[in-house]
Amino acid sequence: MWTHLERQSGAGGVGLRGPGESQLEIDKRLLRDRIIVLKKKIDDVQKQRDLHRKGRSNAGLPILSLVGYTNAGKSTLLNYLTSAGVMAENILFATLDPTTRKVKLPGRKTHPEVLLTDTVGFIQKLPTQLVAAFRATLEEVREADVLVHVIDVSNPMWAKQANAVQTVLNEIGAGDKPMVQLLNKIDLLSAEDAAYCREEMRQMKNAVAVSAITGEGMEDFVAVAEEAMADLLVPVEMLIPYSKGDELNIVHEVGAVEEVDYKETGTYIKGRVPKSVAMRLHEFRTDVDDTHVVGKKKVKKSKQQISEEEWAGIGRGRHSARTE
């Protein structure tokens, strides 16, 4: 490795330092400096990703994160659904940088659009030296609303690989997130084994067998994904003034509208929207009580009177206050 260093043969005498040792120390210092620069770059990337993640959160769209053992077919699935052109090859860690794309689900029973994120493939006993490189993926997984666990069912060790992925998810605090189990690559199985997988998945909740290459089973996947996302929406009834067209568009873009009626004072909408949108448009809701109890009297509360703590409580379902 250090072929450019001069070897010391002892000609300099016992205890004397030769040119080889000096060069070695210089190289160590250069490596330390390089490590510092790379760590700073990782921190800069972290800040940039935080901004992107905040922007996606403000959009109110649910985030589906593709997770799975390396080479399970996650990038192929993303390419099929979005034509993203993400690198998809039969090698370890073909995708090191998380890729996020907006997807319009064909079913559109819950969310018209979602954000679909491809992540790096997991492996067993990840070397500690690679933890920093994987940090972006782990953060995307923790921030996701629903996880799609992609499993290469054609691999004889698929059950062991699936357990390894679940172990990692538990370790990073994402093991309890809503999950869709997707058995991929059924096109590589025999007809009998593929039929068996499809039947087994039908008996399970939020599970489906597909082929991301041929597209077989993708309609079932959309239906299962929408079912998993259903809990992310809350039922609302709103009367939005005609002057608030932007707010009305938000409901149509990120929610599932069930009924629309044009009243004298605005547009009445009944449907389901993400919790963040329900909070944002709280002042237009007609299906919640806008009073609170002070002593034995019920009084209305204005938006300015509601504290930050109470807003947090509303978000967790403890209160039902409504602004005027």
Side-chain angles (χ1 to χ4, degrees):
M1 177 178 179
W2 305 101
T3 56
H4 65 291
L5 301 182
E6 296 185 32
R7 300 292 182 180
Q8 187 173 2
S9 61
V14 178
L16 297 180
R17 301 175 61 175
E21 290 177 331
S22 298
Q23 183 64 51
L24 184 61
E25 291 175 354
I26 293 174
D27 287 339
K28 286 182 178 179
R29 176 173 55 80
L30 292 175
L31 286 175
R32 285 194 297 268
D33 293 343
R34 179 60 175 166
I35 291 174
I36 292 174
V37 171
L38 291 177
K39 286 184 176 180
K40 186 178 183 302
K41 288 184 177 180
I42 290 177
D43 290 338
D44 292 340
V45 171
Q46 164 76 18
K47 294 177 182 179
Q48 185 179 15
R49 290 198 175 280
D50 287 342
L51 292 176
H52 291 168
R53 194 175 296 112
K54 184 177 180 180
R56 294 198 299 264
S57 177
N58 292 338
L61 296 177
I63 301 175
L64 275 69
S65 183
L66 303 178
V67 300
Y69 209 81
T70 185
N71 195 35
K74 299 180 297 299
S75 296
T76 304
L77 178 64
L78 179 69
N79 288 338
Y80 182 89
L81 292 172
T82 68
S83 300
V86 178
M87 181 180 183
E89 295 187 7
N90 185 22
I91 57 176
L92 291 177
F93 313 137
T95 304
L96 276 175
D97 190 39
T99 302
T100 301
R101 293 289 184 271
K102 184 185 291 187
V103 180
K104 291 186 177 181
L105 296 179
R108 305 183 67 156
K109 296 179 181 178
T110 53
H111 295 270
E113 294 181 329
V114 301
L115 295 177
L116 193 61
T117 299
D118 184 20
T119 62
V120 66
F122 293 8
I123 63 170
Q124 290 179 304
K125 300 179 181 179
L126 179 66
T128 55
Q129 296 89 339
L130 295 178
V131 170
F134 281 65
R135 186 166 66 179
T137 274
L138 301 182
E139 289 167 352
E140 294 293 341
V141 171
R142 282 195 292 262
E143 295 296 326
D145 296 305
V146 176
L147 302 180
V148 179
H149 185 181
V150 183
I151 302 171
D152 178 7
V153 72
S154 68
N155 191 311
M157 303 293 291
W158 70 267
K160 186 176 182 179
Q161 293 177 351
N163 290 334
V165 171
Q166 188 61 52
T167 298
V168 174
L169 293 176
N170 293 336
E171 291 175 351
I172 65 176
D176 59 347
K177 286 184 173 291
M179 181 181 295
V180 173
Q181 184 169 297
L182 187 147
L183 295 188
N184 191 27
K185 302 187 182 183
I186 60 173
D187 56 299
L188 300 180
L189 301 178
S190 65
E192 182 179 354
D193 289 342
Y196 176 79
C197 284
R198 286 191 290 266
E199 185 59 30
E200 285 294 307
M201 292 301 98
R202 291 192 185 100
Q203 305 303 320
M204 299 175 60
K205 179 178 175 62
N206 292 344
V208 63
V210 307
S211 168
I213 290 291
T214 67
E216 180 182 358
M218 298 306 292
E219 292 183 1
D220 294 334
F221 164 67
V222 171
V224 170
E226 288 188 329
E227 182 178 347
M229 289 187 293
D231 294 337
L232 303 177
L233 300 176
V234 295
V236 296
E237 293 182 45
M238 297 182 181
L239 184 61
I240 301 178
Y242 292 117
S243 61
K244 301 293 184 179
D246 291 342
E247 282 77 0
L248 183 62
N249 289 336
I250 290 174
V251 176
H252 283 286
E253 288 176 1
V254 304
V257 177
E258 301 170 359
E259 181 180 342
V260 177
D261 191 11
Y262 299 99
K263 305 287 187 179
E264 180 178 350
T265 56
T267 305
Y268 167 81
I269 285 187
K270 178 180 180 181
R272 297 169 63 86
V273 297
K275 294 179 182 179
S276 60
V277 175
M279 291 296 302
R280 176 177 174 177
L281 305 181
H282 198 80
E283 60 182 302
F284 306 120
R285 294 187 62 176
T286 61
D287 59 336
V288 292
D289 186 10
D290 62 351
T291 61
H292 71 292
V293 177
V294 177
K296 294 184 179 180
K297 295 182 179 180
K298 288 186 176 181
V299 297
K300 290 187 176 182
K301 240 183 182 182
S302 67
K303 184 174 183 180
Q304 290 74 18
Q305 291 175 307
I306 299 178
S307 68
E308 294 182 2
E309 293 180 355
E310 289 178 300
W311 275 119
I314 294 172
R316 291 189 289 267
R318 293 206 309 262
H319 307 299
S320 60
R322 187 171 77 93
T323 61
E324 293 183 319

